[in-house]
Amino acid sequence: MKVRDPKSEAMGRFGHAVLLGLVLVLAIGTASAGSAAVAADSRSVEAVASEPAGSVLAVAPLRQELWLPGTGEAVVLTYVTQNTFGESGTSTGVVFLPEGEAPQGGWPVISWAHGTSGLGDSCAPSVMGPALPERDRDHLAKFLAQGYAIVASDYAGLGTPGLHAYLDGRTTAHNVVDMVKAGYQWASTLPAGRHLARKWVAVGQSQGGGAAIYTARYATEFGGSGLDYRGAVGTGTPAYIENLLLPIGPKLPPVALTPGLTAYLTYLFASLRFSHPELGIDDVLTDTGRKYLTMAETECVVEFEGHLKGVSIGDYFTTLLATLPNFGSTVNAYMKMPEDGFDKPFFMGHGILDTDVPYATTLLYVAALKLHSQPVTFRSYLSDHSGTLVQSERDTAPFIAKLFS
């Protein structure tokens, strides 16, 4: 059960510690054939909290039905990372190794940032697989066929203590980078010929597109000297979404948005009231808003969208959100995409027909990046949200290959 009572922050932190302790005591990993298990030991919660980011706490085999085509081995890691409160926390994530032996120096690594799956623990990709398997499975399988290993974070709170902080850029960047560290630590236990190269690239679509680009800004800083970060790819990247929140209030917008966009915004508000209870979002919710934010905490995206046809975000609130104290500054700090400070090349692609992540807002973001002379390559596609991932492969595959060369 998710803990999110804004009046019980101390108890929430205590619950986090208790659940982390249970992970340490109970989550004894059993790796798939040919790999060494990394088991949680009897160290105290405090000792684990002091472990370096990326430290592996447990390893377990990934269910065979969730393997990608071309997988030689796949495991689920529980590892140390940062949560939305800036504290040491945990996340889970999957490592996929290609079939056969690695090339000399090891397999180059793709750190895949997944798109919107939901906030509930059952929505974690290591539990249910990709939220849109018809879109993501073939895409990821191509990475394995090209000789890349894949590490894929579930993100903190998806299957681990707390609520997943949806679109919290800095936290998710930590999760994505620390998953790379965890993958290296686990792979170091494997026999010769099954190792990972130190060079890696962040790649993502939709929510994951934003995570990949946010990661691109901080990968070198968060990764330290032990990793060789090369660049990033983000498609369907949500940008400047924080600006869409300010005019939301009673009957605003006056019409229902698409179920997809309504789901994303509802996940966002549910996450904000968990991560920033000081905003007082609970105090300005209508019965309708309370119903759907509560639903958002457990329902995965496809199911959730089915409940949101004809539902208007404007019916969620009793007041204009922009009038809440510090709402704009808090939301900006939580999710605004970075406009400068990128140290490696990155690619962004977006569909002109995208109705889930507005093309216009992402285009404005790209303009800001170019104004700040950032190393971005941008391409537009005559496609919708999911179709952009497929159409962009003709550009992203050679871009990634060049990053690794």
Side-chain angles (χ1 to χ4, degrees):
M1 181 177 178
K2 300 294 186 184
V3 180
R4 61 157 194 84
D5 186 351
K7 298 179 181 179
S8 305
E9 181 176 353
M11 184 60 70
R13 305 291 173 80
F14 174 76
H16 171 86
V18 171
L19 287 171
L20 180 55
L22 289 175
V23 168
L24 297 177
V25 174
L26 299 176
I28 300 177
T30 304
S32 54
S35 66
V38 179
D41 59 29
S42 59
R43 290 171 295 176
S44 67
V45 171
E46 291 78 10
V48 170
S50 67
E51 287 286 333
S55 297
V56 177
L57 302 179
V59 182
L62 179 69
R63 299 200 322 269
Q64 191 84 29
E65 63 267 27
L66 298 183
W67 284 29
L68 300 169
T71 297
E73 185 171 1
V75 295
V76 181
L77 306 182
T78 302
Y79 66 98
V80 178
T81 187
Q82 183 170 296
N83 65 24
T84 189
F85 302 108
E87 302 166 337
S88 181
T90 57
S91 181
T92 48
V94 178
V95 181
F96 295 97
L97 299 183
E99 296 173 330
E101 288 202 356
Q104 185 174 4
W107 286 295
V109 174
I110 299 290
S111 190
W112 170 251
H114 70 80
T116 304
S117 60
L119 306 184
D121 288 344
S122 64
C123 309
S126 67
V127 174
M128 66 173 283
L132 295 176
E134 69 283 0
R135 182 187 73 185
D136 294 342
R137 281 179 60 84
D138 288 346
H139 182 69
L140 294 176
K142 290 174 184 176
F143 289 140
L144 292 176
Q146 291 160 9
Y148 306 139
I150 300 169
V151 300
S153 176
D154 287 331
Y155 309 144
L158 270 174
T160 48
L163 190 72
H164 168 46
Y166 184 67
L167 297 186
D168 176 353
R170 192 176 181 88
T171 299
T172 308
H174 275 290
N175 302 161
V176 172
V177 174
D178 294 340
M179 183 65 207
V180 181
K181 298 177 183 178
Y184 284 132
Q185 182 179 326
W186 169 75
S188 69
T189 69
L190 301 180
R194 306 289 291 166
H195 289 168
L196 303 180
R198 306 304 291 180
K199 52 190 177 182
W200 70 281
V201 168
V203 181
Q205 156 73 10
S206 193
Q207 176 193 3
I213 302 306
Y214 214 106
T215 297
R217 168 60 180 81
Y218 292 101
T220 299
E221 176 184 339
F222 293 170
S225 59
L227 303 180
D228 182 10
Y229 165 70
R230 297 296 185 90
V233 169
T235 52
T237 303
Y240 294 159
I241 302 300
E242 66 276 6
N243 295 334
L244 303 180
L245 306 186
L246 297 178
I248 291 178
K251 304 303 178 184
L252 295 172
V255 296
L257 306 172
T258 65
L261 189 53
T262 302
Y264 303 155
L265 291 174
T266 309
Y267 284 144
L268 177 55
F269 287 125
S271 296
L272 279 171
R273 73 170 178 172
F274 170 76
S275 299
H276 291 283
E278 75 278 6
L279 288 176
I281 289 176
D282 264 334
D283 298 333
V284 296
L285 287 176
T286 64
D287 289 342
T288 297
R290 196 167 291 108
K291 169 186 173 180
Y292 286 110
L293 263 65
T294 300
M295 191 182 295
E297 293 186 353
T298 57
E299 288 203 355
C300 302
V301 65
V302 175
E303 177 187 14
F304 192 38
E305 286 182 10
H307 293 294
L308 293 172
K309 295 177 181 178
V311 174
S312 176
I313 289 287
D315 293 334
Y316 284 12
F317 301 103
T318 61
T319 191
L320 190 68
L321 292 180
T323 65
L324 295 179
N326 302 316
F327 182 81
S329 59
T330 300
V331 170
N332 280 348
Y334 177 90
M335 64 183 295
K336 184 176 181 179
M337 297 291 289
E339 297 176 351
D340 56 22
F342 293 86
D343 61 350
K344 297 293 173 65
F346 61 102
F347 178 98
M348 291 180 62
H350 212 98
I352 296 172
L353 306 179
D354 193 333
T355 57
D356 288 347
V357 176
Y359 175 77
T361 58
T362 300
L363 198 63
L364 287 173
Y365 175 57
V366 172
L369 290 168
K370 292 186 175 181
L371 182 65
H372 289 92
S373 301
Q374 299 304 288
V376 61
T377 298
F378 179 68
R379 297 285 183 270
S380 299
Y381 301 93
L382 188 60
S383 181
D384 60 11
H385 188 58
S386 289
T388 297
L389 182 66
V390 178
Q391 289 196 23
S392 66
E393 288 176 342
R394 64 178 182 262
D395 297 317
T396 58
F399 187 88
I400 292 170
K402 186 176 180 180
L403 292 177
F404 280 132
S405 63

